[in-house]
Amino acid sequence: MKHTSLLSTVAVMTVIACGAVSAQTIDEVRQRGHLNCGVSPGVSGFSNPDDNGNWAGFDVEVCRAVAAAVLEDADAVRYTPLSNTERFTALQSGEIDMLSRTTTRTLNRDTALGLNFAPVMFYDGQGFMVREAMGVSSVMELDGATVCVSAGSTTELNLADYFEANGLSYQPVRFDRADEVLAAYDAGRCDVYTSDRSGLAARRLVMNDPSEHVMLPETISKEPLAPAVRHGDDQWFDIVTWTVYALIQAEEFGITQANVDEMAASEDPNISRMLGGEGSPVGEWVGLDNNWVYRAIAAVGNYGEIFDRHVGPETPLQIERGMNALYADGGLHYAMPFK
């Protein structure tokens, strides 16, 4: 696993050394007329194409919001499905402009891999799924188990650390693609399936018999999932960062996809400034026009609307807000001031 991580780091640093990284992503995006966004190759609720090839999901909405802010068209996005091992090289080489793909922010990725992470969109943690017929109620009962896991992911490293720390042996069954991990577990090639808890919930939906599988209670890691851009382009980093903050702040202000026109006329100076009212400098500050925040919210709604629409309690995933609630409601989401 460490060997794989080292190879990935060397590959990415080679790309950087070859000068393939652009410093003016916004100019390239405007010139080509669409945003290239890297996503997961099909995870229910987060990024999934329908039968007509139209992508939808929690991560997809971030791409759409950035496209709306920059190109005035939320549909001006081309999605590139990427595996765990493909995603970082695709970003560093310029194949994609941003990565919005259930990716955990870590020290290594933030530094050695040359990435800049926008604010966290989804706070998650790693969990375990087993067949109910095993009669297992805790990870502590999994000594000697075979575990299906994605290669080259933080999940693989967390698995190794947790089992070593607790004196448990296991046999990893590694696959590069998430769909391969799922297929192997569903076919009975391993005893346990480990991934982010949201990912387990999403993939259980497409198993042969979802009712046969249960998640164990332990959450063994912190997985702050955030969009990422490459190092070397501060303006692009600012645009993606503050588009995410705009979605979070919109929920706090009560600005929705349905009422954004009404709220644009608000006499509250904080709301008026964020939505580009008269005299607002928000466009000048990021190098866009003053309506970029308005367009992002009009296109996809606020953070809470996105959450509820794709992964919330009324969706098949049935995920509660929990840590993903606003700070005022006991969660961890908090936007920086638009001042």
Side-chain angles (χ1 to χ4, degrees):
M1 178 177 55
K2 291 180 179 177
H3 182 62
T4 301
S5 176
L6 175 61
L7 289 176
S8 299
T9 301
V10 171
V12 168
M13 296 309 292
T14 300
V15 169
I16 295 172
C18 291
V21 177
S22 168
Q24 292 300 323
T25 307
I26 188 171
D27 294 337
E28 296 178 358
V29 171
R30 283 172 167 163
Q31 186 173 15
R32 84 168 79 96
H34 66 263
L35 173 72
N36 289 326
C37 197
V39 295
S40 297
V43 177
S44 297
F46 286 87
S47 59
N48 220 17
D50 63 18
D51 292 340
N52 296 317
N54 299 311
W55 286 82
F58 187 86
D59 289 339
V60 168
E61 298 285 29
V62 181
C63 308
R64 288 173 47 77
V66 173
V70 174
L71 297 171
E72 304 183 27
D73 182 359
D75 295 328
V77 185
R78 290 187 182 174
Y79 299 97
T80 301
L82 298 166
S83 69
N84 284 334
T85 53
E86 294 169 337
R87 54 185 165 174
F88 301 128
T89 302
L91 181 57
Q92 291 293 1
S93 68
E95 179 183 349
I96 57 173
D97 304 307
M98 61 178 287
L99 182 68
S100 183
R101 184 203 176 281
T102 54
T103 296
T104 303
R105 180 178 181 176
T106 69
L107 172 62
N108 172 261
R109 293 169 179 175
D110 220 0
T111 55
L113 291 191
L115 309 184
N116 281 327
F117 284 87
V120 172
M121 276 293 290
F122 193 93
Y123 290 97
D124 208 341
Q126 184 174 338
F128 295 85
M129 181 176 289
V130 298
R131 287 171 175 76
E132 189 171 20
M134 285 181 68
V136 171
S137 60
S138 168
V139 178
M140 295 301 114
E141 300 171 50
L142 295 178
D143 188 37
T146 53
V147 183
C148 282
V149 61
S150 290
S153 64
T154 54
T155 305
E156 186 181 14
L157 178 60
N158 296 334
L159 172 66
D161 289 348
Y162 188 81
F163 271 62
E164 180 180 358
N166 287 281
L168 300 172
S169 64
Y170 72 103
Q171 180 63 46
V173 183
R174 303 183 184 90
F175 299 91
D176 183 44
R177 296 173 58 90
D179 58 345
E180 294 173 327
V181 182
L182 168 63
Y185 170 76
D186 205 21
R189 294 180 58 186
C190 48
D191 303 314
V192 185
Y193 180 13
T194 186
S195 185
D196 295 344
R197 296 187 75 85
S198 63
L200 293 176
R203 293 180 179 109
R204 180 165 57 182
L205 298 175
V206 296
M207 291 180 179
N208 290 324
D209 185 353
S211 66
E212 290 183 348
H213 308 274
V214 296
M215 271 197 269
L216 299 179
E218 290 91 344
T219 299
I220 68 166
S221 69
K222 294 183 290 186
E223 304 295 334
L225 310 180
V229 298
R230 53 186 165 267
H231 278 176
D233 191 339
D234 288 348
Q235 183 188 8
W236 186 243
F237 180 42
D238 288 343
I239 289 171
V240 175
T241 292
W242 285 91
T243 299
V244 172
Y245 278 144
L247 303 178
I248 296 170
Q249 186 61 59
E251 182 178 13
E252 184 174 344
F253 281 157
I255 306 170
T256 68
Q257 192 172 23
N259 72 12
V260 66
D261 285 315
E262 176 186 348
M263 296 295 276
S266 172
E267 295 183 359
D268 184 325
N270 292 300
I271 295 174
S272 178
R273 182 185 307 112
M274 191 175 88
L275 293 178
E278 184 176 355
S280 171
V282 296
E284 179 184 347
W285 285 342
V286 297
L288 299 172
D289 67 89
N290 262 1
N291 292 324
W292 65 275
V293 172
Y294 166 87
R295 287 195 300 271
I297 299 168
V300 304
N302 65 39
Y303 179 88
E305 291 178 290
I306 296 170
F307 188 99
D308 290 342
R309 187 159 62 240
H310 295 290
V311 299
E314 303 302 319
T315 70
L317 270 67
Q318 299 180 330
I319 297 175
E320 299 292 338
R321 285 293 292 269
M323 293 187 292
N324 290 295
L326 297 180
Y327 77 104
D329 299 324
L332 298 177
H333 285 296
Y334 182 104
M336 301 300 110
F338 276 71
K339 295 180 178 177

